[in-house]
C-alpha cells in the first residue's frame, strides 16, 4: 500500500526533470493518481499500519488525506492554465511540480504519522517546499514574502518542536523512546507523572500551530503571503497545508483532553474568540479578494478548533471538509477574476459569456455565498452543530451563561463577515463595467469537482463516516 | 566536561550577537555547532547510546562544516552584503543579553523543577533559544536571520539532548534531512530571476 501512495509522487518528481512542454499534462495526470490510494484508505479496516508504528492510517487521517487529494486534483487542473493568466517560465513551472511532490511527501508524513517527531518532520518539509512555490512569482513582493514565510514559518515550526521536546520529556519516564507515539501517549495520558510539563509543551505546540494558521497575533502574515503568491499556491496553503497543521492540533488536543480538559478548553476558547474578533474587523476593512478569502480562512480554522475542543468532532470535521473545498475553489477563481486587473472587485463577475462563462459565475457566486454559511452550505450545518456542541459542553459545568454570551459575541462577529461578503458579492455582480472575459475548461472542471465534493459532504455515507470518527 | 562544552556553546552564541561581519558570524555558528556535536558525542559515549554518537558525528559534519561552507559559498556567489550591523546598539545588547539569561532561569524554573537531571542545562538551552531569536530580530539582512534560525535549531537540539537524553534516531535523522532541504530552498531564494535564462 505504501508503494501505491508514494509511486505517483516519485513519478511527479521524476517527470519534473524532463525538459519538454508536453510533460505539463503528464504531470497533472500523475498528480490525479494520488486519489487511488487515498480512496482505498477510506475502505480498508482501520487502524492500518502503513509503515510499522510510524505511519498509521486511522479514520481521521484517511478523511483528511482524501480531502487533501481532491484539493490536489483541483490545483493540478488549475496549473494547466496557469501560463495563460500569469508569467511563469517552463523551468519554474517544472520546478513548481518538483516542490509539489516534496510537499506531498511532507503532507503524507504529517497526516498519517503516529509519531510526534515524524509529524514535525513532515510539517517542516511541507513548509519548506511551499517557500519555493511562493517564489515562482517573480515580483519583489513575492520575493520578500517568501523570505518572510521562511523566517516566520520556521519560528512557528521551531515552537512546535520545542513543545514536542517538552511533551516527550514529560512522558519519557513512563514510556521510554515510545513516548513519541500519539496512540501510546493517548493510552497512558493519565499516567504521566508531570502533567504540568505536558501542559507547557502542549501550549507551546499549540501557539506554534496557531501562528502557522494565522491566529492572533499573527493575523496578517498569511494574508500577505497568499496575496503575493500565484493563486494555485494560495489554494494549496488554504486547502492542504492547513490540513497538515490542524490534524496535529487534533491529535495533540485529544491527549490534552485526558490530562486537563478545562485548561485546554479555556485556552482555546479565549484564543479563538480573540482571533475571530480581530479577523472580523480586518475582513471588514479589506479591499481585495485574496486577503478577504485568506482572512476568512483564519476565521474558519478558528471555528474548527473551537468546535473540536467543545467535543463536536462531527461539526469540526464537516466544517474542515467544507472549508478545504470552498477556499481553494475561491482562490482558484481569483486567477480568472483577476486576469483583467488586480484588486478590482467592481464588476468582476460580469462579462462571462457562453455556457462556460455562465457556469463559472454561477459556481463562484455559490461558493461565495456558501463560505459565509448560507444554507444549504455544509458550513451552515457544521456551525449549527458546532454551537450546539459548545452548549452541550457548557451544560456539563456551571458556565452555561458565559458560553451563551461567547456564542452571542461570535454570532455578532460572524454577521460582520457575512455583511462584508454580501457587499463584495453585490459589487462584483451588479456594479462596474462589463468586459469580455475568458474561462478555460480545466478551470471549470476544477470548480465543478469542488462543487460535487461539497455536495457529497452532506450525503448520508459521508455524514455516517464523520460521525464514527472519535 | 559537559558543563565546559555547554558554556562554550552559550559563549559562541553571545559573541555571534555582537558580530558585524558575515563570515565571522558563520565561523561562530560553526563553532557553536562543533560544541553541540562534541557534547552529543560525550553524552553518547557516557551512556553508550549509539544513536546519540551518530547524531554527534553528523552534527559536526553537517552543521559545523557543510552548512557554513555552503552559506559562505552562496554569499560569495550571490554577492550578499557582508557587513551586518546589528540594529541593537552594543551598549544596550550588553545589558539585554544578561537580562535574558537571568530572566530565562526564572522563567524555566517550573520546567527545570520537573526535570531533575541537568536542570541548569535545560535553562541554558531555553536561554539560547531566546538569544537565537534576538539574533534574528537584531539584523535587517537576510543572511544573519538565516543563521539565527539555524542557531535556534541548535538550541532545540541542545534541549533535546539535555532534557530527554536525545530524541529517537529516526527523528534526529529527519531533522537533519529537513535542515539540508532548508539549505536547498535558501539557495533557490537567493537565485534571482531565472525567467531570463529560459
Amino acid at each position: 500500500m505504501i508503494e501505491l501512495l508514494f509511486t505517483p509522487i516519485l513519478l511527479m518528481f521524476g517527470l519534473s526533470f524532463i525538459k519538454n512542454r508536453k510533460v505539463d499534462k503528464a504531470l497533472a495526470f500523475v498528480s490525479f493518481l494520488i486519489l487511488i490510494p487515498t480512496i482505498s484508505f477510506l475502505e480498508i479496516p482501520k487502524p492500518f499500519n502503513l509503515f510499522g508504528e510510524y505511519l498509521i492510517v486511522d479514520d481521521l487521517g484517511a478523511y483528511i488525506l482524501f480531502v487533501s487529494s481532491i484539493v490536489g486534483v483541483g490545483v493540478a487542473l488549475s496549473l494547466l492554465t496557469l501560463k495563460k493568466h500569469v508569467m511563469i517560465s517552463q523551468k519554474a513551472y517544472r520546478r513548481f511540480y518538483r516542490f509539489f511532490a516534496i510537499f506531498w511527501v511532507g503532507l503524507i508524513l504529517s497526516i498519517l504519522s503516529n509519531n510526534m517527531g515524524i509529524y514535525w518532520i513532515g510539517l517542516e518539509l511541507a513548509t519548506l517546499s511551499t517557500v519555493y512555490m511562493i517564489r515562482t512569482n517573480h515580483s519583489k513582493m513575492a520575493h520578500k514574502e517568501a523570505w518572510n514565510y521562511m523566517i516566520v514559518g520556521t519560528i512557528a515550526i521551531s515552537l512546535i518542536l520545542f513543545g514536542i521536546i517538552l511533551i516527550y520529556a514529560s512522558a519519557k519516564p513512563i514510556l521510554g523512546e515510545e513516548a513519541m507515539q500519539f496512540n501510546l501517549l493517548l493510552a497512558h495520558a493519565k499516567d504521566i507523572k508531570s502533567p504540568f510539563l505536558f501542559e507547557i509543551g502542549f501550549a507551546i505546540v499549540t501557539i506554534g500551530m496557531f501562528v502557522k494558521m494565522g491566529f492572533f497575533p499573527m493575523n496578517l502574515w498569511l494574508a500577505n503571503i497568499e496575496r503575493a503568491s500565484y493563486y494555485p499556491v494560495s489554494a494549496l496553503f488554504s486547502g492542504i497545508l492547513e490540513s497538515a497543521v490542524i490534524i496535529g492540533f487534533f491529535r495533540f488536543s485529544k491527549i490534552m483532553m485526558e490530562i486537563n480538559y478545562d485548561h485546554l478548553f479555556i485556552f482555546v476558547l479565549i484564543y479563538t474568540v480573540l482571533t475571530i474578533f480581530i479577523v472580523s474587523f480586518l475582513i471588514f476593512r479589506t479591499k481585495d479578494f485574496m486577503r478577504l478569502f485568506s482572512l476568512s480562512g483564519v476565521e474558519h480554522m478558528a471555528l474548527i478548533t473551537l468546535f473540536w475542543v467543545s467535543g463536536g468532532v462531527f461539526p469540526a470535521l464537516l466544517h474542515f471538509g467544507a472549508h478545504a473545498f470552498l477556499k481553494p475553489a475561491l482562490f482558484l477563481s481569483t486567477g480568472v477574476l483577476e486576469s483583467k486587473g488586480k484588486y478590482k472587485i467592481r464588476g468582476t463577475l460580469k462579462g462571462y459569456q457562453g455556457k462556460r462563462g455562465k457556469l463559472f459565475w454561477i459556481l463562484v457566486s455559490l461558493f461565495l455565498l456558501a463560505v459565509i454559511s448560507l444554507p444549504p452550505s455544509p458550513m451552515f450545518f457544521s456551525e449549527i452543530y458546532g454551537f450546539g456542541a459548545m452548549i452541550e459542553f457548557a451544560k456539563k459545568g456551571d458556565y452555561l451563561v458565559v458560553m451563551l454570551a461567547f456564542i452571542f459575541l461570535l454570532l455578532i462577529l460572524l454577521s460582520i463577515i457575512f455583511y462584508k461578503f454580501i457587499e463584495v458579492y453585490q459589487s462584483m455582480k451588479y456594479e462596474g463595467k462589463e468586459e469580455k472575459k475568458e474561462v478555460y475548461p480545466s478551470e471549470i472542471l476544477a470548480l465543478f469537482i469542488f462543487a460535487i465534493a461539497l455536495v457529497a459532504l452532506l450525503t448520508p455515507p459521508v455524514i455516517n463516516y464523520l460521525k464514527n470518527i472519535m | 566536561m559537559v558543563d565546559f562544552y555547554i558554556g562554550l556553546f552559550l559563549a559562541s552564541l553571545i559573541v555571534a550577537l555582537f558580530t558585524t561581519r558575515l563570515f565571522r558570524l558563520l565561523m561562530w555558528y560553526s563553532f557553536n555547532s562543533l560544541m553541540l556535536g562534541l557534547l552529543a558525542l560525550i553524552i553518547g559515549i557516557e551512556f553508550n547510546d549509539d544513536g546519540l554518537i551518530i547524531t554527534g558525528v553528523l552534527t559536526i559534519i553537517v552543521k559545523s562544516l557543510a552548512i557554513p561552507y555552503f552559506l559562505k559559498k552562496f554569499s560569495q556567489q550571490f554577492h550578499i552584503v557582508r557587513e551586518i550591523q546589528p540594529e541593537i546598539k552594543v551598549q544596550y545588547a550588553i545589558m539585554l543579553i544578561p537580562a535574558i539569561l537571568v530572566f530565562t532561569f526564572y522563567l524555566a524554573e517550573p520546567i527545570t523543577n520537573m526535570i531533575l537531571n541537568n536542570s541548569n542545562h535545560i535553562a541554558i538551552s531555553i536561554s539560547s533559544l531566546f538569544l537565537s531569536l534576538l539574533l534574528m530580530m537584531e539584523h535587517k539582512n537576510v543572511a544573519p536571520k538565516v543563521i539565527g534560525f539555524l542557531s535556534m535549531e541548535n538550541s532545540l537540539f541542545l534541549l533535546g539532548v539535555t532534557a530527554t537524553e536525545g530524541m529517537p534516531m529516526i527523528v534526529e535523522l529527519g531533522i537533519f534531512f529537513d535542515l539540508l532541504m532548508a539549505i536547498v530552498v535558501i539557495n533557490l531564494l537567493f537565485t534571482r530571476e531565472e525567467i531570463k535564462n529560459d
Side-chain angles (χ1 to χ4, degrees):
Chain A
M1 196 65 102
I2 196 163
E3 298 85 3
L4 200 62
L5 190 61
F6 285 100
T7 306
I9 295 164
L10 283 173
L11 272 174
M12 197 194 296
F13 190 77
L15 282 172
S16 71
F17 286 95
I18 298 172
K19 292 176 183 173
N20 189 329
R21 281 184 190 272
K22 284 177 187 167
V23 87
D24 294 4
K25 280 181 185 161
L27 281 165
F29 175 74
V30 165
S31 61
F32 301 163
L33 295 178
I34 297 170
L35 264 176
I36 300 168
T38 56
I39 291 170
S40 60
F41 284 159
L42 291 172
E43 287 166 357
I44 55 170
K46 289 176 276 290
F48 175 79
N49 289 44
L50 191 69
F51 184 66
E53 286 296 317
Y54 295 113
L55 298 180
I56 294 180
V57 184
D58 58 358
D59 288 325
L60 180 66
Y63 169 67
I64 292 185
L65 195 61
F66 179 62
V67 168
S68 304
S69 61
I70 291 177
V71 178
V73 169
V75 170
L77 280 170
S78 75
L79 279 170
L80 284 172
T81 52
L82 182 67
K83 287 175 196 164
K84 289 175 180 165
H85 293 293
V86 297
M87 248 189 67
I88 182 166
S89 65
Q90 184 64 16
K91 191 178 173 186
Y93 187 83
R94 280 188 286 112
R95 204 179 265 167
F96 184 98
Y97 262 106
R98 205 170 303 157
F99 279 90
F100 192 24
I102 299 168
F103 176 77
W104 264 113
V105 174
L107 196 79
I108 290 167
L109 289 181
S110 49
I111 291 178
L112 298 182
S113 170
N114 181 40
N115 183 299
M116 290 190 292
I118 292 177
Y119 166 76
W120 183 86
I121 292 162
L123 198 59
E124 169 87 328
L125 207 57
T127 305
L128 288 171
S129 52
T130 41
V131 173
Y132 178 74
M133 292 184 190
I134 302 168
R135 182 72 174 76
T136 44
N137 185 348
H138 286 280
S139 69
K140 266 188 180 175
M141 191 186 170
H143 185 71
K144 183 179 155 276
E145 289 305 333
W147 274 114
N148 194 14
Y149 182 67
M150 174 90 194
I151 289 159
V152 182
T154 46
I155 290 175
I157 288 277
S158 301
L159 278 174
I160 296 174
L161 182 60
F162 183 21
I164 287 174
I165 293 170
L166 295 184
I167 290 174
Y168 181 58
S170 74
K172 201 178 177 185
I174 55 162
L175 292 171
E177 283 213 345
E178 289 178 341
M180 273 281 168
Q181 290 175 22
F182 284 118
N183 57 359
L184 285 178
L185 272 171
L186 185 63
H188 297 91
K190 288 200 171 18
D191 305 328
I192 291 174
K193 284 177 182 130
S194 8
F196 182 64
L197 189 60
F198 183 94
E199 282 189 46
I200 293 176
F202 173 78
I204 295 170
V205 165
T206 309
I207 290 170
M209 287 176 181
F210 284 177
V211 167
K212 258 195 95 57
M213 290 194 286
F215 283 21
F216 174 81
M218 305 294 286
N219 300 108
L220 279 171
W221 80 286
L222 214 53
N224 290 342
I225 288 160
E226 288 177 345
R227 170 75 270 173
S229 30
Y230 286 145
Y231 57 93
V233 183
S234 315
L236 279 181
F237 265 91
S238 61
I240 308 187
L241 186 59
E242 292 198 351
S243 314
V245 184
I246 199 103
I247 195 172
F249 175 78
F250 289 163
R251 295 202 194 282
F252 281 106
S253 60
K254 268 170 86 175
I255 306 163
M256 184 64 191
M257 281 173 191
E258 297 291 319
I259 289 175
N260 197 327
Y261 204 152
D262 289 340
H263 283 185
L264 166 74
F265 184 75
I266 293 164
F267 175 64
V268 174
L269 178 72
I270 293 171
Y271 214 119
T272 49
V273 171
L274 197 60
T275 301
I276 296 173
F277 182 81
I278 306 275
V279 161
S280 59
F281 289 101
L282 288 172
I283 286 179
F284 189 72
R285 288 170 56 86
T286 195
K287 288 182 179 67
D288 75 276
F289 297 121
M290 283 282 193
R291 282 178 202 278
L292 187 74
F293 299 152
S294 178
L295 289 165
S296 147
V298 176
E299 168 230 336
H300 288 299
M301 294 316 272
L303 283 176
I304 294 165
T305 49
L306 187 56
F307 295 160
W308 177 268
V309 296
S310 306
V313 174
F314 167 66
L317 294 177
L318 183 64
H319 205 91
F320 164 81
H323 173 262
F325 295 138
L326 274 170
K327 210 44 67 68
L330 286 169
F331 274 122
L332 296 182
S333 311
T334 55
V336 183
L337 293 170
E338 289 193 340
S339 55
K340 291 266 174 180
K342 277 188 175 179
Y343 304 105
K344 202 173 128 190
I345 289 179
R346 286 160 64 91
T348 36
L349 267 183
K350 284 174 157 183
Y352 293 100
Q353 285 152 4
K355 277 185 188 170
R356 230 189 286 155
K358 274 182 190 165
L359 191 59
F360 174 75
W361 79 254
I362 290 171
L363 282 173
V364 174
S365 305
L366 287 175
F367 291 145
L368 267 170
L369 299 175
V371 87
I372 46 170
S373 314
L374 217 65
S377 160
M379 281 190 171
F380 170 76
F381 297 104
S382 61
E383 284 181 15
I384 295 284
Y385 279 108
F387 290 130
M390 286 170 75
I391 293 170
E392 284 300 318
F393 182 81
K395 275 184 188 169
K396 290 175 198 160
D398 303 320
Y399 308 106
L400 186 60
V401 180
V402 179
M403 185 63 86
L404 288 174
F406 266 110
I407 293 174
F408 184 65
L409 175 66
L410 279 174
L411 289 174
I412 292 172
L413 298 172
L414 294 183
S415 65
I416 295 171
I417 298 168
F418 185 91
Y419 169 79
K420 182 67 186 181
F421 267 83
I422 293 292
E423 191 198 20
V424 166
Y425 174 68
Q426 284 180 331
S427 177
M428 285 164 81
K429 190 71 196 109
Y430 303 110
E431 291 174 9
K433 287 178 188 169
E434 194 167 315
E435 286 174 273
K436 200 182 169 192
K437 291 159 193 167
E438 188 74 35
V439 191
Y440 299 99
S442 64
E443 288 157 355
I444 290 289
L445 185 60
L447 297 187
F448 200 65
I449 289 171
F450 287 127
I452 291 171
L454 273 168
V455 174
L457 277 178
L458 292 176
T459 56
V462 178
I463 289 175
N464 287 338
Y465 184 89
L466 294 183
K467 281 188 173 171
N468 287 329
I469 296 176
M470 292 303 288
Chain B
M1 202 62 175
V2 171
D3 289 342
F4 176 71
Y5 284 122
I6 289 186
L8 284 179
F9 175 87
L10 187 62
S12 58
L13 193 56
I14 292 170
V15 178
L17 283 160
F18 293 102
T19 310
T20 55
R21 292 288 183 276
L22 184 60
F23 287 178
R24 214 172 296 161
L25 185 62
L26 284 172
M27 191 198 82
W28 286 120
Y29 168 71
S30 169
F31 185 75
N32 186 271
S33 307
L34 180 68
M35 292 305 113
L36 191 66
L38 290 173
L39 191 76
L41 267 178
I42 288 171
I43 297 175
I45 292 166
E46 193 181 323
F47 290 100
N48 208 11
D49 184 342
D50 292 341
L52 211 51
I53 293 170
I54 296 168
T55 313
V57 174
L58 275 175
T59 304
I60 294 169
I61 296 169
V62 176
K63 290 186 187 170
S64 172
L65 300 171
I67 291 177
Y69 169 76
F70 283 114
L71 286 179
K72 190 175 177 181
K73 207 178 142 194
F74 295 159
S75 65
Q76 285 168 332
Q77 192 181 341
F78 302 113
H79 309 291
I80 294 164
V81 181
R82 290 185 205 170
E83 196 182 327
I84 43 160
Q85 203 66 41
E87 290 293 303
I88 301 170
K89 287 181 181 170
V90 177
Q91 59 266 40
Y92 298 131
I94 284 172
M95 288 187 279
L96 189 63
I97 292 163
I100 288 174
L101 287 169
V102 174
F103 170 72
T104 319
F105 267 82
Y106 279 104
L107 186 82
E109 212 179 307
I111 300 173
T112 51
N113 283 345
M114 274 173 284
I115 303 169
L116 298 173
N117 301 329
N118 316 322
S119 58
N120 281 340
H121 300 168
I122 291 159
I124 288 174
S125 47
I126 295 172
S127 59
S128 315
L129 199 69
F130 283 114
L131 293 178
S132 309
L133 269 172
L134 186 68
L135 184 63
M136 288 175 95
M137 281 160 60
E138 72 167 7
H139 287 283
K140 273 190 175 172
N141 303 43
V142 168
K145 278 186 193 292
V146 169
I147 296 169
F149 147 65
L150 294 169
S151 304
M152 217 156 106
E153 209 277 321
N154 273 2
S155 310
L156 286 171
F157 184 89
L158 181 67
L159 182 70
V161 170
T162 52
T164 67
E165 284 154 7
M167 308 260 270
M169 187 64 191
I170 190 160
V171 178
E172 295 287 10
L173 289 178
I175 293 172
F176 274 113
F177 176 71
D178 276 351
L179 212 58
L180 292 175
M181 172 79 184
I183 298 300
V184 172
V185 172
I186 287 166
N187 178 29
L188 287 171
L189 284 179
F190 278 133
T191 316
R192 284 255 169 204
E193 296 302 319
E194 65 209 52
I195 202 157
K196 288 173 189 164
N197 308 330
D198 235 31

